[in-house]
Amino acid sequence: MSLRDKVAVTGIGETAYRRGATRSSTELQLEAALLAIADAGLAPREIDGIIPIGITGAPAEELATNLGVAELRYSALTPMGGASSIAAIQTAAAAISAGLCNHVLIAAGRNVTSGARAGVRIHQMPQFHLVTEFELPLGAIAPAQLYAPMARRHMELFGTTSEQLGEIAVTVRGHALLNDNALMKKPITLADHQGSRMIADPFRLLDCSLESDGGAAFVISAADQALDMPQPRVLVSGIAEGHPDSPSAITQRPDMTRLGIAKGAPRAFAMAGVTPADIQVAEIYDCFTWVVLCQLEDMGFCGKGEGGAFVQGGRLRLGGALPVNTHGGLLSQAHMLGLNHVVELVRQLRHQADRRQVQGVQLGLATGYGDLGDGAIAIMRRG
Amino acid sequence: MAETSKPAPHPSPLTQPYWDGTAQGVLRIQHCAACGKPRHYPRYICDACHSFDTVWKDSTGRGTVHSWTVAHHAFHPGFAGELPYALVVVDLEEGVRALGRFAEPSGNGLRLGLPVRVGFVQGGGGFALPVFTPEG
Ligand SMILES: [Zn+2]
């Protein structure tokens, strides 16, 4: 049995993204959940599966209690950092296809203004205890510092340049300017990128994603039920997660330039019966610019080491051959753990993306990346 | 005060021999006592033969540079006074990798394959941490 086209994303919701939110992460999670459930044409009590995302929001029980869920038949966790929300789609698809439940809510809320920042959060997670013991004391604290050696090795092996990383930052910023719910409102140039201060070589400030507050959510339902729901149907055609070798420490990874998505992407493309050349829009997890470039290689859009040239020449811009992060991504819209990538892909495939709509788009993908290399990929189509 | 002191390792029975080694100026690597496979960071069992039996062996401390980064932003106040500093990933002769500081904080001179040798510097909590210096 394949999960191809078995489920659809039937509802999407996101709060306003900002810094300094007054609502807690759980309140933001609930606000987004209510929006997504209403978008699906459902009442909150009809949700019967919940997969909460992130370490700062509420567990399934608390969401069910607040939403007045009549009968929670299924709950799960997919603790893969920024890959969690797309890994959750796989879990939801399996559960719905097996008849365990009908409508799964996947929701996250973040209030990083009042909570722990990036350099602290990772060391609170038990799966990273060896990184915390052996790397943190050396001053390898935040994701920027832990990921930078992957990018540096890629640059040394393949000649990838900082300007090529900057091309991604500039492209995604341009898309954010077309999105009213994006934090970043000013255009940037390649010179701005090159002039931004170094954080952890080779990552400059404009290679790094935002810290922001907000909530995002979506609802997964059985494909046949989605036909009777209000929104244009967006089917999940291919779905997979992938874990890198040495998942718990980047330093010990045999090939530091290959992420977990390299293992998952072939499964997702095979499930969907399509190839990278068929993809018309891609919402790619962009905690750092280089992570976008590496995922493009790992998914097979180009060969290993060819990502630098691939991202140049406007290919990733709206109007280019492969528009990427049309919402502005984590780099320029908001850091919503990649749920905003799913929300945007669904908007694009519903043809509800307003000024940033990719004209006539029928097939696209969203990816997640997190927890030092875990990956997930969802290929979706309008239908 | 605790806010600005550097983070210290919290050794467990699994990792204590490593830190006993660095305190004596030796980089110790865990090996499988059954099949001999080296592993770093320490683990409970061997992923090749699944034996629980381990033996700690002294590393030569020599290796080559696999990759690096240079930190220009302090994500923890304890490191604010040390910027910039370089972190280097080293392929040790034993066949495992280690992370350490690079002796030249600007990272000048770093390249893939650069031969290096381990030494130690005092870090948070008085623990000795590896620092790598170019050979010769
Ligand atoms: Zn063994």
Side-chain angles (χ1 to χ4, degrees):
Chain A
M1 177 192 137
S2 162
L3 292 176
R4 176 177 175 173
D5 296 341
K6 289 292 197 300
V7 299
V9 185
T10 51
I12 53 173
E14 54 190 350
T15 69
Y17 296 129
R18 57 169 65 94
R19 287 170 172 149
T22 51
R23 284 185 164 172
S24 70
S25 55
T26 298
E27 290 169 319
L28 293 163
Q29 193 176 18
L30 286 164
E31 182 183 339
L34 289 169
L35 290 168
I37 295 165
D39 183 65
L42 296 170
R45 66 185 310 279
E46 295 178 89
I47 294 294
D48 59 0
I50 296 179
I51 305 177
I53 302 297
I55 60 170
T56 59
E61 291 85 347
E62 187 165 356
L63 295 175
T65 302
N66 278 275
L67 293 170
V69 163
E71 184 178 3
L72 186 63
R73 298 164 187 255
Y74 182 76
S75 68
L77 289 175
T78 53
M80 291 167 59
S84 302
S85 62
I86 290 177
I89 297 176
Q90 176 177 255
T91 298
I96 291 168
S97 300
L100 303 181
C101 55
N102 296 303
H103 303 291
V104 176
L105 171 70
I106 297 170
R110 295 185 104 197
N111 185 327
V112 296
T113 305
S114 64
R117 292 183 69 80
V120 176
R121 286 194 300 272
I122 200 162
H123 299 290
Q124 295 171 339
M125 303 182 194
Q127 66 266 43
F128 301 128
H129 69 98
L130 289 172
V131 172
T132 300
E133 179 169 349
F134 287 87
E135 302 189 0
L136 174 68
L138 287 159
I141 301 153
Q145 297 165 327
L146 297 169
Y147 301 168
M150 300 192 290
R152 172 48 63 192
R153 184 165 172 85
H154 195 278
M155 295 168 96
E156 299 297 316
L157 285 177
F158 305 119
T160 313
T161 66
S162 175
E163 288 81 359
Q164 289 166 332
L165 302 185
E167 178 80 18
I168 295 169
V170 171
T171 295
V172 172
R173 178 62 61 89
H175 296 163
L177 301 180
L178 301 173
N179 185 351
D180 292 338
N181 192 17
L183 260 76
M184 295 293 105
K185 303 292 187 192
K186 290 182 187 161
I188 57 169
T189 64
L190 197 53
D192 293 330
H193 173 270
Q194 291 295 296
S196 66
R197 71 190 172 90
M198 195 64 87
I199 301 294
D201 176 84
F203 296 143
R204 299 177 177 280
L205 182 65
L206 290 179
D207 290 305
C208 303
S209 51
L210 307 169
E211 284 274 43
S212 52
D213 303 338
F218 45 90
V219 177
I220 308 291
S221 310
D224 51 356
Q225 292 200 37
L227 286 172
D228 301 324
M229 295 168 76
Q231 297 290 350
R233 192 168 71 159
V234 175
L235 292 163
V236 178
S237 296
I239 184 80
E241 68 180 64
H243 300 262
D245 298 325
S246 179
S248 55
I250 292 167
T251 44
Q252 303 304 320
R253 191 160 300 160
D255 183 353
M256 216 184 243
T257 67
R258 191 169 182 266
L259 305 173
I261 200 169
K263 295 185 180 181
R267 280 185 259 126
F269 280 109
M271 185 187 292
V274 301
T275 70
D278 299 317
I279 299 297
Q280 297 164 307
V281 65
E283 316 296 356
I284 300 178
Y285 198 85
D286 54 340
C287 48
F288 298 92
T289 51
W290 177 81
V291 173
V292 175
L293 187 152
C294 190
Q295 288 176 90
L296 285 165
E297 295 177 348
D298 288 339
M299 287 189 284
F301 283 92
C302 58
K304 182 51 67 183
E306 297 170 1
F310 184 85
V311 304
Q312 288 187 300
R315 188 194 302 264
L316 308 188
R317 298 186 189 196
L318 278 164
L322 182 68
V324 163
N325 296 358
T326 47
H327 53 325
L330 308 181
L331 288 166
S332 284
Q333 185 198 23
H335 200 316
M336 203 50 242
L337 292 166
L339 279 86
N340 49 331
H341 293 54
V342 174
V343 167
E344 175 70 4
L345 177 61
V346 172
R347 276 212 183 98
Q348 287 284 346
L349 292 169
R350 287 178 179 179
H351 299 171
Q352 296 173 351
D354 205 9
R355 289 184 291 163
R356 58 184 193 278
Q357 181 66 51
V358 177
Q359 294 304 317
V361 63
Q362 302 291 317
L363 182 74
L365 64 76
T367 77
Y369 161 90
D371 276 16
L372 309 181
D374 291 345
I377 170 173
I379 298 169
M380 299 190 198
R381 70 180 175 90
R382 180 184 173 90
Chain B
M1 208 43 215
E3 177 72 1
T4 53
S5 61
K6 289 192 213 176
H10 296 280
S12 67
L14 177 68
T15 62
Q16 188 64 51
Y18 174 86
W19 297 109
D20 292 343
T22 67
Q24 297 161 26
V26 178
L27 193 62
R28 269 188 202 138
I29 302 295
Q30 193 191 35
H31 288 63
C32 173
C35 77
K37 184 176 177 181
R39 57 189 197 247
H40 196 57
Y41 303 121
R43 291 195 286 264
Y44 295 101
I45 65 174
C46 172
D47 70 350
C49 77
H50 307 120
S51 168
F52 280 78
D53 297 328
T54 60
V55 58
W56 289 81
K57 297 184 182 173
D58 293 356
S59 165
T60 63
R62 286 199 299 266
T64 55
V65 169
H66 189 83
S67 195
W68 67 88
T69 183
V70 182
H72 292 269
H73 178 88
F75 286 94
H76 184 290
F79 295 101
E82 295 184 10
L83 296 173
Y85 58 87
L87 296 162
V88 64
V89 183
V90 173
D91 287 307
L92 293 172
E93 283 183 338
E94 288 76 16
V96 298
R97 294 214 196 103
L99 183 74
R101 286 288 185 92
F102 186 60
E104 168 51 51
S106 71
N108 283 347
L110 278 166
R111 60 175 169 82
L112 297 191
L114 178 74
V116 291
R117 180 192 288 268
V118 78
F120 294 90
V121 63
Q122 187 177 311
F127 283 81
L129 304 175
V131 53
F132 289 91
T133 305
E135 281 264 45

